[in-house]
Amino acid sequence: MKVTVFGVGYVGLVQASVLADVGHEVCCVDVDQDKVDRLNQGLIPIYEPGLEPMVRHNHDAGRLTFTTDAAAGVHHGKVQFIAVGTPPDEDGSADLQYVLAVADTIARHMDSPKVVVDKSTVPVGTADKVRQRIASVLKERGADVAFQVVSNPEFLKEGAAVADCMRPDRIVIGSDDEVAIEVMRELYEPFNRQQERTVIMDVRSAELTKYAANCMLATKISFMNEMANLAEKLGADIEAVRRGIGSDPRIGYHFIYPGCGYGGSCFPKDVQALIRAADGIGHDAKILKAVEQVNDDQKTVLMRNIRRHFGDDLKGRTIALWGLAFKPNTDDMREAPSRVLLAALWEAGARVQAYDPEAMEETQRIFGHRDNLVLMGTKEAALKGADALVICTEWQAFRAPDFDFIQQELRQPVIFDGRNLYDPERLAKRGFHYYGIGRGLSINQE
Ligand SMILES: NC(=O)c1ccc[n+]([C@@H]2O[C@H](COP(=O)([O-])OP(=O)(O)OC[C@H]3O[C@@H](n4cnc5c(N)ncnc54)[C@H](O)[C@@H]3O)[C@@H](O)[C@H]2O)c1
């Protein structure tokens, strides 16, 4: 099938390459000339495991092309995916300007029937807006071309995006049009071979499904962080509690890890957008507001612990920071807890020696060159002469470090662990001051 994907970001690029990989002919359109040029040279703008070889392979085979020529893109695909960003507006609601700009573009150039697919995460009612936009531009043009608008939200996880798209848990298709549903079924047929994963529903339910999924996951995290803060004050160990509740299949082990807050391009923005959407219809989304508040607060937990240990003034202190990306296996720094920590450390006068396996370039791009941030080539180098080690991201490479080496390199044996990677008792026996999240032991040490 001929498919066009507007927007080659995390979602668009991954979805496009996976569709090309099963044999569809995919044309990607982006407004970012530099990104398109780089992709045409085989340079992948983001880090995502397995993505680079897949893009190269399908690009070389001619099934995956990249262009800024929107007219050619519209002409190419029977299916037109809209996979552009929906960043927060000033008030936190989803900004639809990019989605609607693509709708305009499609309407301006289309001269054959199209199925237009909202892949971006968009508020309930957006498919209607896209439909109206396309219809009004077609009317202006005096063109009579059939089209349907389908909602097909994306559930991929950054860091496992290719695998998620290859073997999705579910493929949600929101439409009440039989023709459009059949086209979508045919498009996704290769992904349904082992079992049927398609869930067909009306458009509005599909749009809400995406927000409900992300808000549920964010709720689990904030709930667990609230329990962690309670555990800390009550002298309990949240890690024991986590195992104790996770064994109940109604709760499960997934997404109940306490930590220094959730970040990324989706949870913070989608929770906020649903709060605003609810406000807009006079509904006070109390749970979601609490989820957001707990998370904002949780992003300051590492700094609170650092202050507890060193006091408020960190002038002359050097902090070794492991992990900058908002989660492992990505270079994405959007809304990362590390950014809140960095700002607070700098404000208190500290200097940071940081290391991340993938997000160093992105960090450099965001913060540029500054005296109080030194990006180190290895996790070991980041330790040298630092007053303490802080862990912000649970990369695999940080899970079993050489603690003797850490002790030898740090000026003081202090670890602030934002992801509960280590065993507090074992570290205490080695002579470390260890601050985890929600672990009574760190309090008992004082
Ligand atoms: N990143 C994720 O993990 C994830 C997961 C599921 C859903 N989503 C949703 O998918 C959407 C895209 O997210 P993303 O992370 O891929 O965004 P992104 O910012 O990485 O990429 C968006 C791309 O769209 C391009 N673009 C903007 N306007 C355009 C236009 N008029 N025509 C063509 N291209 C245009 C930008 O240049 C950019 O390359 C968002 O709604 C997001 O909420 C993201």
Side-chain angles (χ1 to χ4, degrees), residues 206-403:
E207 289 171 336
L208 186 55
T209 297
K210 174 63 194 174
Y211 282 100
N214 274 359
C215 289
M216 170 63 106
L217 295 171
T219 302
K220 284 185 94 172
I221 296 174
S222 275
F223 174 83
M224 227 28 212
N225 283 333
E226 181 140 300
M227 289 303 116
N229 295 333
L230 268 176
E232 182 124 339
K233 289 193 172 120
L234 294 168
D237 181 359
I238 192 65
E239 288 302 318
V241 176
R242 179 177 66 75
R243 288 191 293 274
I245 63 171
S247 52
D248 181 337
R250 293 171 302 175
I251 296 172
Y253 288 108
H254 292 294
F255 263 78
I256 56 166
Y257 288 92
C260 51
Y262 62 72
S265 69
C266 292
F267 289 1
K269 132 180 124 55
D270 293 349
V271 170
Q272 221 177 68
L274 195 53
I275 291 172
R276 295 295 159 261
D279 281 346
I281 50 167
H283 178 89
D284 184 18
K286 297 190 193 73
I287 292 180
L288 298 182
K289 285 180 183 169
V291 166
E292 187 180 40
Q293 219 179 329
V294 168
N295 193 58
D296 287 348
D297 198 48
Q298 199 66 13
K299 284 186 174 175
T300 65
V301 73
L302 281 169
M303 193 60 192
R304 284 205 302 273
N305 284 344
I306 292 170
R307 286 185 199 280
R308 255 163 71 188
H309 190 87
F310 289 114
D312 287 343
D313 186 3
L314 299 182
K315 275 195 209 80
R317 300 267 181 209
T318 297
I319 301 294
L321 175 58
W322 285 2
L324 295 154
F326 86 92
K327 69 172 182 177
N329 299 320
T330 181
D331 59 353
D332 199 339
M333 296 270 297
R334 290 179 281 185
E335 305 282 336
S338 65
R339 296 175 73 153
V340 175
L341 176 67
L342 282 171
L345 285 170
W346 292 333
E347 172 79 30
R351 186 179 157 273
V352 179
Q353 294 179 171
Y355 170 75
D356 186 285
E358 291 297 337
M360 306 285 264
E361 238 177 79
E362 185 60 2
T363 308
Q364 190 81 77
R365 191 189 66 77
I366 294 167
F367 296 110
H369 290 278
R370 42 190 307 159
D371 293 344
N372 49 12
L373 175 66
V374 190
L375 296 175
M376 310 301 279
T378 62
K379 65 180 195 293
E380 289 78 16
L383 300 167
K384 191 143 202 69
D387 291 279
L389 167 63
V390 183
I391 292 144
C392 255
T393 319
E394 66 276 33
W395 282 93
Q396 198 79 20
F398 302 156
R399 283 173 194 245
D402 180 343
F403 289 109

Side-chain angles (χ1 to χ4, degrees), residues 6-12 29-32 35 83-86 98 101-102 119-121 154-158 210 265-266 269-270 334:
F6 281 87
V8 276
Y10 282 85
V11 167
V29 183
D30 204 289
V31 287
D32 185 336
K35 209 182 233 187
V84 296
T86 45
Y98 305 105
V102 176
K119 182 56 112 177
S120 302
T121 301
E154 181 52 59
F155 298 95
L156 65 77
K157 301 182 286 295
E158 280 181 28
K210 174 63 194 174
S265 69
C266 292
K269 132 180 124 55
D270 293 349
R334 290 179 281 185

